[in-house]
Amino acid sequence: TNSTGYVDWSINEALSSSSCTLTYPNGSTSAVEPCMSPWSKLGLAEGVHSFKVSATDLEGNLATVSKVWRVGK
């Protein structure tokens, strides 16, 4: 089974940067990449996926949020 992952978020401050990573069911992790909301990824395999977004505001404060979901059974 292949599926599309979709994550949407909002931030109430001006940002200097944001980055995202995706951890796949086999434990491998994608490269850290700049990202914006909404984020999507096509062709996700069956299993548990973990998405993490990190954002830094203009004052240098870092916040990180994760979302975990399962594709298929």
Side-chain angles (χ1 to χ4, degrees):
T1 301
N2 284 328
S3 185
T4 299
Y6 179 85
V7 181
D8 191 14
W9 67 91
S10 64
I11 299 171
N12 60 357
E13 293 187 40
L15 297 179
S16 65
S17 66
S18 62
S19 61
C20 297
T21 58
L22 179 66
T23 302
Y24 299 96
N26 66 4
S28 67
T29 302
S30 69
V32 176
E33 297 180 355
C35 63
M36 295 174 48
S37 180
W39 171 92
S40 64
K41 176 76 172 174
L42 300 172
L44 296 178
E46 218 172 76
V48 175
H49 298 266
S50 175
F51 173 81
K52 180 171 74 171
V53 61
S54 298
T56 305
D57 68 14
L58 296 176
E59 295 177 0
N61 300 307
L62 175 67
T64 301
V65 178
S66 320
K67 174 71 177 171
V68 176
W69 73 91
R70 175 180 293 279
V71 173
K73 299 178 183 179

